[in-house]
Amino acid sequence: MPRRRVAVTGVGVVAPCGIGRDDYWQGLLTAPPEGRERHVEPWDPTPWFENRKEARRTDRFTQFAIAAADMALEQAGRITADPVRSGVHIGTGIGGVSTLEDQIIAGHTKGLDRVSPFMVPMMMPNAASATVSMRYGWQGPCETTVTACAAGTHSIGNAARLIMDNRCDAVLAGGSEAPLTATSIAGFTNMTALSRTGHSRPFDQRRDGFVIAEAGAVLVLEEWDMAVERGATILAEILGSASTADAHHITAPAPGGTGAVNCMELALADAGLAPGDIVHINAHGTSTPLNDAAEADAIHKLFGAPGPLVTSTKGVTGHALGAAGAIEAVAVVLSMALRQLPPTIGHEEPDPDMAPLNLVTGDALSWEPGPSLSNSFGFGGHNGTLVLGPPPG
């Protein structure tokens, strides 16, 4: 049986630079405030829950996923897929860490009998996927990919595969993360992963680490013919994806970006495309010295010079770990719809020791949408690449 096509018919996003598609896009064009943390503020989950009690029994990362899924489904319109052929695939890096941290403190200060009976269902990494499936009655595969900062990209790729292989007709796919607790920030700080200056400067000579963020995003993926038949507006197409491992180091990328090269090559083969077909790459671009250099090496090796247009949106959004790939996939979809690429805000000084990139800087750039990649790389050596195509003209 030939592989089925996958349409994107809805996107929803909760990010520090904006909640909802319009505010998120405008945020991507605007310089962010300084600081090593990017919070979603103000955040009120109650519009997406029946009451405050229900919201309080849900971790913040699940709240983001519920809000994003709701927005995505509202845009997609009425889904006609059978519920048992409708799945959920939402990734995360560390799940409900704020719930875990709060309850450990409660156990130590008030006694173990005061630990919440809701702790486990709130903190478990699959809580977001499970809650979304229950909210909408989607009874197909309901799974969670936990691959650090590649989780959102892997989830979308895995979800698309379910449709391509005729296991599902629709899947809610994305990533969600709310990691801004005192302990997790201390952990990232003590391993010197965070920027000392409070600036995210992707691919810049002065880059000194990432700015940690929280966020969530969900895409509605549908089997192409079903989406066409019901008259849905197709926003983009998932053309292919790939997942590889560096098998090198728990935090550092493989020298020369060899793992990233393998991942992008496999994703292109999965999509049936050649390097010359790609016109844009949404880079992982965390603004850490080693990761940016490895990714630049990988892009240069595979695509040459000048290569496709490259952007990193983390100069604005910060790095939302397991949600990063999902909010960046949304950025690519919106870039195709609006026919503009957001600039790599934070980048000002090219690094003469880094492989050259065709980086979009300054202002948003008008472009003719075409096949594009979205890269994500995570601690543990996880690599993920999505290939997205624009909707029919």
Side-chain angles (χ1 to χ4, degrees):
M1 180 178 180
R3 192 166 84 170
R4 307 195 310 168
R5 296 176 69 183
V6 180
V8 180
T9 55
V11 296
V13 60
V14 176
C17 65
I19 299 172
R21 292 177 295 276
D22 293 342
D23 287 352
Y24 176 61
W25 178 259
Q26 288 305 313
L28 293 181
L29 309 181
T30 307
E34 294 184 7
R36 298 196 310 167
E37 302 167 21
R38 296 274 190 276
H39 294 260
V40 175
E41 292 179 332
W43 171 244
D44 177 9
T46 53
W48 290 283
F49 290 87
E50 288 190 2
N51 50 59
R52 293 186 181 278
K53 183 177 180 181
E54 184 191 20
R56 283 198 306 270
R57 292 178 173 177
T58 309
D59 189 89
R60 190 173 172 94
F61 95 103
T62 297
Q63 294 173 0
F64 292 162
I66 285 285
D70 192 73
M71 294 178 213
L73 282 169
E74 182 181 24
Q75 183 181 29
R78 183 176 174 272
I79 304 296
T80 55
D82 188 319
V84 299
R85 289 181 57 83
S86 302
V88 179
H89 223 305
I90 297 175
T92 186
I94 50 181
V97 66
S98 63
T99 296
L100 177 62
E101 189 166 321
D102 289 346
Q103 294 307 309
I104 289 174
I105 293 171
H108 279 289
T109 58
K110 300 178 182 177
L112 292 176
D113 60 340
R114 299 291 299 277
V115 171
S116 170
F118 299 101
M119 183 191 77
V120 173
M122 288 175 67
M123 63 168 276
M124 59 188 192
N126 58 315
S129 289
T131 305
V132 168
S133 76
M134 288 185 284
R135 171 66 60 91
Y136 301 106
W138 288 33
Q139 300 164 16
C142 177
E143 301 176 5
T144 298
T145 304
V146 182
T147 48
C149 307
T153 292
H154 282 154
S155 287
I156 297 168
N158 292 338
R161 197 76 61 195
L162 289 171
I163 296 174
M164 291 173 177
D165 294 345
N166 199 23
R167 171 63 185 87
C168 288
D169 295 321
V171 185
L172 290 165
S176 197
E177 203 80 85
L180 300 176
T181 72
T183 304
S184 64
I185 291 171
F188 283 112
T189 300
N190 294 343
M191 69 187 300
T192 67
L194 299 188
S195 168
R196 296 184 302 278
T197 59
H199 292 88
S200 179
R201 296 186 172 106
F203 304 110
D204 189 286
Q205 186 178 15
R206 300 164 299 160
R207 66 192 187 278
D208 66 347
F210 69 81
V211 168
I212 191 168
E214 57 182 1
V218 171
L219 292 76
V220 178
L221 308 186
E222 286 187 72
E223 193 275 325
W224 188 276
D225 291 339
M226 187 187 79
V228 170
E229 186 174 342
R230 74 179 183 87
T233 299
I234 294 175
L235 308 173
E237 181 174 5
I238 305 295
L239 298 171
S241 66
S243 172
T244 67
D246 281 355
H248 169 68
H249 189 276
I250 196 66
T251 57
T258 55
V261 170
N262 293 338
C263 195
M264 288 188 286
E265 284 181 332
L266 288 171
L268 289 174
D270 189 47
L273 298 175
D277 297 321
I278 301 302
V279 299
H280 166 52
I281 298 174
N282 186 304
H284 188 55
T286 56
S287 91
T288 57
L290 291 179
N291 285 330
D292 281 10
E295 186 173 13
D297 269 349
I299 292 171
H300 187 67
K301 286 176 181 173
L302 188 55
F303 296 97
L309 294 163
V310 177
T311 61
S312 169
T313 47
K314 289 189 176 73
V316 172
T317 64
H319 188 9
L321 311 183
I327 63 174
E328 288 159 16
V330 171
V332 174
V333 173
L334 295 178
S335 295
M336 290 175 173
L338 298 170
R339 307 177 80 81
Q340 279 192 323
L341 292 174
T344 304
I345 288 179
H347 177 94
E348 296 175 354
E349 299 180 13
D351 183 350
D353 296 325
M354 195 173 67
L357 294 175
N358 192 8
L359 206 60
V360 178
T361 60
D363 298 320
L365 179 69
S366 296
W367 72 311
E368 181 63 34
S372 301
L373 302 187
S374 185
N375 282 335
S376 293
F377 310 118
F379 284 171
H382 303 290
N383 306 307
T385 297
L386 280 179
V387 188
L388 298 103

